[in-house]
Amino acid sequence: MISDAVERLGETGDTRKILNAAAVRDRAHMLLEAGLSDDLKHFSLNLEALEPTAERVLEITKKAYPDLQIPFHARWRHFETGGIDRWTMIGAARRWSELRQMGRAAFDLVIASVLLDAGAGADWRYEEEVSGQTYRRSEGLAVASVGMFMSGYFSGDPMDPFRCDAGTLSLLTAKEVASGFQVGPNNPMIGLEGRAGLLRKLGDVCTLREDLFASEDDARPGGLFDVLFNEASEQDGMLAAPRILEVVLEALGPIWPGRVKLNDVNLGDTWLHSGIEIDDATRGLMPLHKLSQWLSYSLMEPLVWSGVRVLEVDGLTGLAEYRNGGLFIDSGVLSLKNKDQLMQSHEIGSELVVEWRALTVALLDRIADIVRKKLDVDEQQLPLACVLEGGTWAAGRQIAQEKRADGGPPLSLVSDGTVF
């Protein structure tokens, strides 16, 4: 089936069936239903473990946000690591003269930072000079990327370091990224070249797609702010969250390396799984769009600051990454049918990992429903983005630290720095 799917990719398939959040959710639940019938190759499910898992999520949420005023799960939370509001510091230093300048800069920062966010490995750390604090993992990557942004790593204008310019990104080397992340023999980082490669491709695509990245300024990732802000202005200041993802997927699709294509369009974080039985050219394709959805959640905030009303937040899905996915394995909701695979390393594109990530997306919907029921709220009062922040991501980290000395995921993953 999988080989047949690959052969058909250039024929009649419609990329719009894959490049959206609804496809992620629908196909993830398709695999969940297969799992509930014990028809999956790699994982078994124990839904009785969902209730205590939701209790853990709720306990962590109440501790972090006792008033239940929970923000979205976005990169901006990591920019505030250690109680330091680094974005406000940037704004105070730059003092933009108009709203659009601020919006472009915010998009510049968050796009670059999210693309640099793939797992760094348990041994990497970042020492922030200003605070004197040492950070690791996703928080460390966020703080390091802010430091690079403020130091002008991505800017082509010496008088304005707080921006990302296409030409500068296109020439960025792994050595420069290593310098910004303080990588060295005693501070190794996973996927260094993959990160630099993503930013170079980002610079290239910004130059090639002036309609998306240079409609009202020089080519830069922040040009997407103008596209989305203008679209919202044409709709009485409103914009649907799934539309943000669609624009992100169109704009950034070409940067992803060596992925599946449909009608010569790169499908990004889309993989092959034999359980996706759909009678068209997209049969066998499981889209996940983890970084793109993480980015879309993060792009919402600058738009909201600018007066845009973002609707249908729950139109996006949970994030198929190792903290959320690890939560379900470590809590016993998911278990491998072949226990020996816990001792092996797995490629990101393996059917086992694709199955795990898809089940994670579907199970996050179920966890959200349980948490809302316990709090007696609805989707409008507690969107999935808030459940993630409250939340499932923190619960996944907590249980990983309880079970493993390095706090790593329950599965060993071979990462190229462009997915996790």
Side-chain angles (χ1 to χ4, degrees), residues 326-387:
L327 171 66
F328 293 118
I329 292 179
D330 285 336
S331 64
V333 178
L334 294 177
S335 59
L336 280 166
K337 293 183 175 181
N338 180 356
K339 304 302 181 185
D340 291 342
Q341 291 174 325
L342 284 169
M343 309 303 295
Q344 302 168 6
S345 293
H346 303 278
E347 297 286 343
I348 297 299
S350 68
E351 187 166 274
L352 182 150
V353 173
V354 175
E355 189 169 295
W356 176 40
R357 298 178 71 203
L359 291 171
T360 296
V361 170
L363 289 169
L364 285 169
D365 282 342
R366 294 215 173 190
I367 283 284
D369 287 340
I370 296 172
V371 170
R372 291 182 188 120
K373 185 176 181 180
K374 290 179 178 295
L375 292 174
D376 193 25
V377 296
D378 59 22
E379 293 180 2
Q380 296 298 317
Q381 295 166 301
L382 189 68
L384 178 59
C386 299
V387 177

XYZ file of all heavy atoms in Angstrom, residues 326-387:
485
model
N 5.122 11.390 24.938
C 5.727 10.688 26.055
C 4.779 10.543 27.224
O 4.795 9.540 27.949
N 3.929 11.554 27.419
C 2.932 11.507 28.488
C 2.065 10.260 28.358
O 1.785 9.563 29.345
C 2.067 12.764 28.447
C 0.828 12.787 29.353
C 1.235 12.785 30.822
C -0.039 14.018 29.037
N 1.648 9.952 27.138
C 0.727 8.830 26.951
C 1.423 7.478 27.083
O 0.814 6.513 27.561
C 0.019 8.965 25.601
C -0.906 10.141 25.541
C -0.693 11.173 24.637
C -1.981 10.241 26.403
C -1.540 12.274 24.595
C -2.833 11.335 26.381
C -2.610 12.359 25.471
N 2.684 7.395 26.691
C 3.414 6.145 26.896
C 3.744 5.959 28.373
O 3.504 4.900 28.958
C 4.699 6.123 26.040
C 4.351 6.041 24.550
C 5.578 4.930 26.437
C 5.567 6.039 23.631
N 4.273 7.006 28.996
C 4.697 6.894 30.391
C 3.532 6.685 31.352
O 3.699 6.099 32.429
C 5.480 8.147 30.803
C 6.883 8.174 30.226
O 7.423 7.096 29.916
O 7.451 9.276 30.071
N 2.349 7.167 30.984
C 1.188 7.001 31.859
C 0.414 5.719 31.570
O -0.581 5.426 32.244
C 0.249 8.204 31.712
O -0.266 8.272 30.390
N 0.844 4.959 30.569
C 0.216 3.674 30.284
C -0.969 3.723 29.358
O -1.617 2.696 29.129
N -1.282 4.888 28.791
C -2.363 4.957 27.807
C -1.940 4.229 26.536
O -2.736 3.524 25.906
C -2.734 6.418 27.493
C -3.828 6.483 26.430
C -3.190 7.139 28.760
N -0.690 4.388 26.164
C -0.132 3.712 24.995
C 0.960 2.748 25.448
O 1.733 3.055 26.364
C 0.482 4.716 24.018
C -0.457 5.693 23.316
C 0.349 6.657 22.446
C -1.475 4.954 22.465
N 1.041 1.602 24.799
C 2.131 0.664 25.062
C 2.524 -0.017 23.764
O 1.682 -0.296 22.905
C 1.717 -0.379 26.108
O 0.584 -1.113 25.667
N 3.817 -0.230 23.613
C 4.325 -0.901 22.423
C 3.993 -2.391 22.461
O 4.146 -3.043 23.498
C 5.833 -0.715 22.316
C 6.305 0.627 21.756
C 7.789 0.812 22.023
C 6.025 0.712 20.264
N 3.565 -2.909 21.341
C 3.284 -4.333 21.261
C 4.578 -5.152 21.320
O 4.600 -6.240 21.879
C 2.503 -4.640 19.979
C 1.095 -4.045 19.982
C 0.315 -4.424 18.734
C -1.128 -3.911 18.821
N -1.928 -4.271 17.641
N 5.630 -4.602 20.753
C 6.944 -5.241 20.807
C 7.814 -4.444 21.778
O 8.342 -3.397 21.443
C 7.580 -5.258 19.415
C 8.951 -5.914 19.407
O 9.481 -6.294 20.453
N 9.544 -6.036 18.222
N 7.965 -4.937 22.983
C 8.675 -4.201 24.028
C 10.146 -3.984 23.691
O 10.775 -3.040 24.200
C 8.565 -4.935 25.365
C 7.129 -5.204 25.821
C 6.326 -3.931 25.945
C 4.901 -4.234 26.439
N 4.044 -3.028 26.467
N 10.703 -4.837 22.837
C 12.112 -4.673 22.454
C 12.348 -3.337 21.756
O 13.469 -2.812 21.762
C 12.555 -5.807 21.532
C 12.626 -7.153 22.252
O 12.675 -7.150 23.499
O 12.601 -8.191 21.566
N 11.291 -2.767 21.166
C 11.450 -1.505 20.444
C 11.704 -0.323 21.371
O 12.141 0.735 20.931
C 10.203 -1.252 19.581
C 10.102 -2.238 18.427
C 8.810 -2.110 17.647
O 7.745 -1.826 18.206
N 8.890 -2.321 16.347
N 11.455 -0.509 22.666
C 11.804 0.526 23.631
C 13.313 0.699 23.742
O 13.793 1.768 24.152
C 11.229 0.186 25.011
C 9.735 0.398 25.208
C 9.277 -0.241 26.512
C 9.389 1.890 25.185
N 14.060 -0.323 23.378
C 15.511 -0.295 23.500
C 16.186 0.097 22.202
O 17.412 0.155 22.126
C 16.023 -1.681 23.939
C 15.324 -2.245 25.172
S 15.440 -1.128 26.603
C 17.210 -1.168 26.893
N 15.406 0.367 21.161
C 15.955 0.696 19.846
C 15.793 2.178 19.551
O 14.972 2.871 20.168
C 15.241 -0.132 18.775
C 15.335 -1.631 18.977
C 14.399 -2.405 18.077
O 13.731 -1.832 17.202
N 14.324 -3.724 18.283
N 16.579 2.684 18.595
C 16.415 4.054 18.107
C 15.549 4.032 16.857
O 15.667 3.119 16.019
C 17.777 4.674 17.792
O 18.526 4.856 18.974
N 14.690 5.037 16.727
C 13.707 5.036 15.650
C 13.810 6.300 14.802
O 13.916 7.408 15.325
C 12.298 4.923 16.238
C 12.100 3.714 17.086
N 11.823 2.477 16.570
C 12.162 3.549 18.445
C 11.710 1.594 17.556
N 11.919 2.227 18.698
N 13.776 6.112 13.493
C 13.774 7.235 12.564
C 12.441 7.966 12.641
O 11.394 7.343 12.860
C 14.012 6.748 11.136
C 15.361 6.075 10.901
C 16.507 7.068 10.866
O 16.236 8.284 10.703
O 17.667 6.630 10.993
N 12.488 9.285 12.434
C 11.267 10.093 12.502
C 10.207 9.605 11.520
O 9.013 9.624 11.807
C 11.598 11.574 12.224
C 12.533 12.119 13.301
C 10.331 12.409 12.151
C 11.953 12.087 14.687
N 10.641 9.142 10.353
C 9.688 8.715 9.333
C 9.244 7.277 9.451
O 8.456 6.804 8.622
N 9.697 6.552 10.476
C 9.275 5.157 10.640
C 7.791 5.101 10.965
O 7.234 6.004 11.597
C 10.075 4.487 11.756
O 9.740 5.039 13.018
N 7.143 4.027 10.551
C 5.707 3.917 10.790
C 5.404 3.905 12.285
O 4.368 4.416 12.719
C 5.139 2.687 10.101
C 3.624 2.625 10.177
C 3.008 1.607 9.234
O 2.770 1.968 8.059
O 2.774 0.468 9.666
N 6.307 3.354 13.083
C 6.103 3.344 14.528
C 6.003 4.760 15.077
O 5.092 5.078 15.864
C 7.250 2.578 15.205
C 7.187 2.419 16.726
C 7.886 1.118 17.145
C 7.834 3.596 17.468
N 6.911 5.628 14.686
C 6.899 7.004 15.191
C 5.703 7.774 14.640
O 5.063 8.548 15.363
C 8.226 7.716 14.861
C 8.156 9.199 15.234
C 9.383 7.060 15.600
N 5.386 7.557 13.380
C 4.215 8.221 12.791
C 2.949 7.804 13.535
O 2.082 8.640 13.847
C 4.109 7.887 11.290
C 2.828 8.482 10.693
C 5.329 8.412 10.540
N 2.833 6.523 13.842
C 1.672 6.013 14.574
C 1.592 6.648 15.959
O 0.518 7.081 16.409
C 1.793 4.496 14.688
C 0.570 3.788 15.238
C 0.722 2.282 15.051
O 0.762 1.822 13.891
O 0.817 1.565 16.059
N 2.712 6.694 16.647
C 2.781 7.303 17.985
C 2.350 8.767 17.933
O 1.534 9.218 18.753
C 4.209 7.175 18.496
C 4.505 7.822 19.817
C 3.714 7.852 20.924
C 5.703 8.524 20.168
N 4.348 8.528 21.950
C 5.569 8.943 21.510
C 6.890 8.820 19.492
C 6.576 9.671 22.176
C 7.887 9.527 20.153
C 7.717 9.944 21.480
N 2.860 9.512 16.987
C 2.543 10.938 16.904
C 1.068 11.165 16.561
O 0.419 12.060 17.120
C 3.439 11.625 15.880
C 4.934 11.573 16.225
C 5.770 12.232 15.150
N 5.574 13.684 15.165
C 5.804 14.466 14.117
N 6.190 13.951 12.963
N 5.617 15.767 14.215
N 0.540 10.362 15.644
C -0.871 10.508 15.275
C -1.787 10.184 16.452
O -2.761 10.907 16.726
C -1.192 9.610 14.083
N -1.489 9.110 17.167
C -2.282 8.762 18.351
C -2.201 9.869 19.396
O -3.189 10.152 20.090
C -1.800 7.439 18.938
C -2.076 6.188 18.096
C -1.347 4.978 18.682
C -3.575 5.912 17.992
N -1.054 10.502 19.500
C -0.899 11.610 20.444
C -1.879 12.731 20.130
O -2.533 13.277 21.030
C 0.549 12.143 20.392
O 1.440 11.118 20.842
C 0.713 13.380 21.248
N -2.004 13.096 18.865
C -2.926 14.156 18.459
C -4.357 13.807 18.862
O -5.078 14.623 19.453
C -2.836 14.402 16.937
C -3.964 15.316 16.465
C -1.485 15.016 16.576
N -4.789 12.597 18.551
C -6.163 12.186 18.847
C -6.405 12.100 20.353
O -7.458 12.520 20.854
C -6.461 10.847 18.182
N -5.431 11.577 21.095
C -5.600 11.445 22.543
C -5.594 12.794 23.253
O -6.236 12.955 24.296
C -4.509 10.538 23.106
C -4.639 9.052 22.737
C -3.370 8.292 23.103
C -5.859 8.427 23.408
N -4.906 13.772 22.709
C -4.940 15.119 23.291
C -6.358 15.698 23.235
O -6.787 16.399 24.156
C -3.955 16.036 22.574
C -2.476 15.807 22.911
C -1.581 16.582 21.947
C -2.170 16.196 24.354
N -7.086 15.405 22.170
C -8.487 15.835 22.101
C -9.291 15.209 23.236
O -10.127 15.869 23.871
C -9.106 15.443 20.758
C -8.701 16.375 19.616
O -8.234 17.500 19.899
O -8.856 15.969 18.444
N -9.043 13.938 23.506
C -9.795 13.239 24.566
C -9.408 13.764 25.952
O -10.272 13.923 26.816
C -9.544 11.740 24.465
C -10.103 11.117 23.183
C -10.602 9.735 23.418
N -11.290 9.186 22.241
C -11.986 8.056 22.262
N -12.105 7.374 23.393
N -12.587 7.618 21.171
N -8.127 14.015 26.159
C -7.687 14.586 27.435
C -8.335 15.948 27.650
O -8.810 16.262 28.755
C -6.149 14.720 27.455
C -5.494 13.364 27.696
C -5.702 15.721 28.515
C -5.553 12.868 29.125
N -8.368 16.760 26.603
C -8.979 18.093 26.713
C -10.444 17.987 27.119
O -10.931 18.768 27.959
C -8.838 18.851 25.397
N -11.160 17.036 26.543
C -12.572 16.856 26.890
C -12.728 16.500 28.372
O -13.632 17.012 29.058
C -13.187 15.758 26.027
C -13.406 16.197 24.582
O -13.440 17.426 24.335
O -13.537 15.316 23.714
N -11.857 15.620 28.874
C -11.951 15.214 30.282
C -11.641 16.388 31.206
O -12.339 16.635 32.203
C -10.992 14.039 30.567
C -11.411 12.809 29.757
C -10.978 13.715 32.055
C -10.409 11.661 29.828
N -10.585 17.136 30.881
C -10.199 18.290 31.710
C -11.314 19.325 31.733
O -11.657 19.865 32.794
C -8.877 18.904 31.197
C -8.597 20.239 31.889
C -7.717 17.940 31.428
N -11.914 19.599 30.597
C -13.011 20.574 30.545
C -14.194 20.103 31.388
O -14.820 20.903 32.098
C -13.455 20.790 29.094
C -12.443 21.517 28.218
C -13.002 21.718 26.819
N -11.997 22.232 25.915
C -11.592 21.611 24.803
N -12.127 20.440 24.449
N -10.664 22.148 24.047
N -14.502 18.827 31.298
C -15.621 18.297 32.075
C -15.367 18.453 33.565
O -16.265 18.833 34.329
C -15.846 16.828 31.715
C -17.071 16.214 32.393
C -17.300 14.784 31.913
C -18.544 14.190 32.568
N -18.785 12.793 32.106
N -14.141 18.193 33.993
C -13.799 18.322 35.401
C -13.868 19.767 35.879
O -14.177 20.038 37.057
C -12.407 17.749 35.662
C -12.327 16.231 35.547
C -10.912 15.730 35.781
C -10.868 14.208 35.715
N -11.632 13.554 36.803
N -13.589 20.695 34.977
C -13.626 22.121 35.331
C -14.980 22.767 35.021
O -15.192 23.944 35.344
C -12.524 22.875 34.581
C -11.086 22.548 34.993
C -10.101 23.260 34.058
C -10.830 22.945 36.443
N -15.869 21.988 34.382
C -17.190 22.486 33.992
C -17.073 23.719 33.097
O -17.709 24.743 33.329
C -18.036 22.814 35.228
C -19.506 23.020 34.879
O -19.952 22.476 33.857
O -20.197 23.740 35.631
N -16.245 23.597 32.053
C -16.087 24.667 31.069
C -16.225 24.058 29.683
O -16.192 22.838 29.510
C -14.721 25.375 31.211
C -14.608 26.073 32.563
C -13.573 24.395 31.013
N -16.337 24.931 28.677
C -16.454 24.449 27.305
C -15.209 24.829 26.498
O -14.251 25.400 27.035
C -17.722 24.982 26.638
C -17.767 26.513 26.605
O -16.702 27.168 26.701
O -18.874 27.068 26.461
N -15.235 24.535 25.204
C -14.091 24.799 24.338
C -13.783 26.285 24.237
O -12.620 26.668 24.081
C -14.348 24.225 22.941
C -14.409 22.708 22.895
C -14.673 22.182 21.505
O -14.764 23.009 20.569
O -14.792 20.955 21.336
N -14.809 27.118 24.288
C -14.578 28.559 24.214
C -13.856 29.053 25.471
O -12.990 29.933 25.399
C -15.912 29.297 24.047
C -16.649 28.981 22.760
C -15.858 29.373 21.527
O -15.263 30.446 21.476
N -15.859 28.514 20.519
N -14.211 28.500 26.605
C -13.595 28.929 27.868
C -12.212 28.320 28.071
O -11.351 28.926 28.712
C -14.509 28.544 29.040
C -15.846 29.273 29.031
C -16.842 28.627 29.989
O -17.182 27.443 29.868
N -17.304 29.399 30.965
N -11.994 27.136 27.540
C -10.705 26.472 27.688
C -10.331 25.799 26.358
O -10.513 24.604 26.167
C -10.752 25.427 28.805
C -9.395 24.814 29.186
C -8.496 25.859 29.840
C -9.594 23.621 30.124
N -9.780 26.558 25.434
C -9.358 25.977 24.152
C -8.254 24.943 24.343
O -7.550 24.929 25.361
C -8.833 27.191 23.368
C -9.398 28.392 24.046
C -9.551 28.011 25.493
N -8.098 24.100 23.368
C -7.057 23.084 23.406
C -5.680 23.710 23.621
O -4.837 23.148 24.336
C -7.073 22.274 22.102
C -6.007 21.191 21.939
C -6.096 20.153 23.046
C -6.139 20.522 20.568
N -5.431 24.873 23.022
C -4.142 25.549 23.182
C -3.836 25.838 24.644
O -2.668 25.845 25.057
C -4.124 26.847 22.379
N -4.864 26.059 25.445
C -4.676 26.308 26.884
C -4.480 25.010 27.650
O -3.740 24.975 28.642
C -5.865 27.089 27.442
S -6.096 28.723 26.689
N -5.138 23.934 27.208
C -4.926 22.631 27.831
C -3.478 22.184 27.613
O -2.831 21.649 28.518
C -5.905 21.585 27.267
C -5.632 20.204 27.865
C -7.349 21.996 27.540
